[in-house]
Amino acid sequence: MIPYVAVGLLGLLTLSIPVGIVLFLLGFGIDTFFSSFPLTRGLGNMVWSSSNSATLIAIPFFVLLGEILVRSGVATRTYAALDRWVSWLPGGLVHANIATATMFSATSGSSVATAATVATVAMPQAEKLGYDPKLFSGAIAAGGTLGIMIPPSINLIVYGFLTQSSIPQLFLAGLLPGLGLAVAFMAVTALICLLRPALGGTRRTFPFPLMLRALIDLVPILILFGLIVGSIYRGWATPTEAAAVGVAGALLIALFFGGVSLNMLSQSLLGTVKITSMIMLIVIGASFLNFTLASAGLGRELTTFLEGLGLTPMKTILVVVVIYIVLGFFIETLSLMVVTIPIIVPLVVAQGFDVIWFGILMIVLIEMALITPPVGLNLYVVQGARKSGSLSEVMLGTIPYVAMMLLMVVLLIAFPSIALFLPNVLQ
């Protein structure tokens, strides 16, 4: 059954059918050809139970928060402020791309939204200042991936919902690896531009008083991050309640900067409905697919297959890593998560690995899928913001950053405390 499901999934995605619909079609196919019971009779209950969760309400709130910050002009102010602080480094404005992506990752919760925000603001600067288009666009695509690692992360919320694990602990676990990746991205950028200065464009410096004044535009984002994450870890709010508080904070920030208008609010709400509908269709479709897969015995097949290989726990993890890297080439990231979590996570936990640690390892692998062709969403988001050049330039530009993600995967496997240190200390 496994080969049929894999071929069916890839075949339907190749036809450009929406991912949520593909998941439902696969579920119907498994029910028809591999199940002796009429599984579709449970579809109504499955749709209701998979969407009737207070935890999932956090998703539209975090999406709305990001939409408000982007459409109110706060993103442009943040980018300009970080430009003044990091453009003296080898690579110049490329570091502002990564730093801005890091800050917006701490509020938006979405990698695609983060990449789109930074690309829209940054691309005009690349052409004016003579940056290498490959490195510049690759840094934006890679920096955008931090949106699903640094809390609050929509993908971590979905992982916590599907595995029934603590979302606050997942947020804590993602903080150090997320910031570590941001530092690694900036380090590899500086190294490349030291070796080949022509790629890094113009290094600029600004008067210190101007740099200090620019901090005013960074303070609101830092306050918003502290408000969301702090309220969760102080026990004042659940992740869902903290997301609602974050939306109120974002509105106040937008109002302070004069970015609130009827058109901005309507566009933000419309964007939120579109993104949330897409996410929920995938979650519900994947829940139905997983129900049919489990009922048809795929979980038993996979468990028997892995046990037959006689792998040690470490070899099992390496096999899982390879599986995610390969699937990441072909399957959209959220779909990859919700389809594989009910099958892979129980196998990994049975081998003695921590469910929180594995969630962070999975997110790094999912981040790689966002910038690896042919389905890497961030590649297309960044290319869409460019006025010239080919998609292959964006792909080539992400190679150094993919290498940093692979390094983080190795470090997380070798030193699990990178992810588990904060959850263990602050539990």
Side-chain angles (χ1 to χ4, degrees), residues 76-134:
T76 304
R77 291 175 174 273
T78 303
Y79 188 81
L82 290 169
D83 176 22
R84 289 171 171 79
W85 277 93
V86 300
S87 285
W88 60 272
L89 293 167
L93 204 58
V94 180
H95 295 287
N97 298 342
I98 299 169
T100 305
T102 303
M103 291 200 70
F104 268 85
S105 296
T107 55
S108 74
S110 165
S111 285
V112 173
T114 301
T117 300
V118 180
T120 302
V121 175
M123 277 306 171
Q125 304 297 321
E127 297 172 2
K128 285 193 293 186
L129 299 174
Y131 282 87
D132 176 67
K134 295 188 289 296

Side-chain angles (χ1 to χ4, degrees), residues 71-296:
R71 298 181 186 277
S72 63
V74 176
T76 304
R77 291 175 174 273
T78 303
Y79 188 81
L82 290 169
D83 176 22
R84 289 171 171 79
W85 277 93
V86 300
S87 285
W88 60 272
L89 293 167
L93 204 58
V94 180
H95 295 287
N97 298 342
I98 299 169
T100 305
T102 303
M103 291 200 70
F104 268 85
S105 296
T107 55
S108 74
S110 165
S111 285
V112 173
T114 301
T117 300
V118 180
T120 302
V121 175
M123 277 306 171
Q125 304 297 321
E127 297 172 2
K128 285 193 293 186
L129 299 174
Y131 282 87
D132 176 67
K134 295 188 289 296
L135 183 65
F136 196 87
S137 55
I140 297 175
T145 66
L146 299 173
I148 62 172
M149 175 66 81
I150 297 175
S153 161
I154 291 173
N155 289 60
L156 285 176
I157 292 173
V158 172
Y159 179 87
F161 169 72
L162 292 176
T163 61
Q164 297 299 298
S165 52
S166 168
I167 292 174
Q169 284 198 339
L170 285 166
F171 281 0
L172 278 176
L175 193 55
L176 288 182
L179 294 176
L181 277 174
V183 171
F185 290 167
M186 295 181 74
V188 75
T189 299
L191 179 61
I192 291 170
C193 293
L194 281 173
L195 296 175
R196 298 187 62 186
L199 300 180
T202 305
R203 294 170 64 177
R204 295 176 298 158
T205 57
F206 296 88
F208 191 66
L210 189 61
M211 294 171 67
L212 286 179
R213 284 199 297 272
L215 290 177
I216 296 174
D217 292 327
L218 299 181
V219 170
I221 299 296
L222 295 174
I223 291 175
L224 190 58
F225 175 73
L227 187 66
I228 295 169
V229 177
S231 63
I232 293 174
Y233 297 123
R234 292 291 295 176
W236 297 337
T238 66
T240 301
E241 293 164 345
V245 171
V247 170
L251 281 171
L252 290 176
I253 292 171
L255 192 63
F256 177 79
F257 287 116
V260 176
S261 67
L262 213 53
N263 181 61
M264 184 277 287
L265 291 175
S266 64
Q267 290 298 315
S268 297
L269 290 170
L270 182 61
T272 300
V273 169
K274 288 180 178 179
I275 295 172
T276 305
S277 299
M278 178 270 292
I279 292 173
M280 288 308 301
L281 180 62
I282 292 173
V283 169
I284 295 170
S287 297
F288 176 63
L289 175 60
N290 291 327
F291 168 67
T292 58
L293 289 172
S295 301

Side-chain angles (χ1 to χ4, degrees), residues 3-15:
Y4 296 109
V5 173
V7 171
L9 180 62
L10 295 178
L12 291 171
L13 290 175
T14 304
L15 296 174

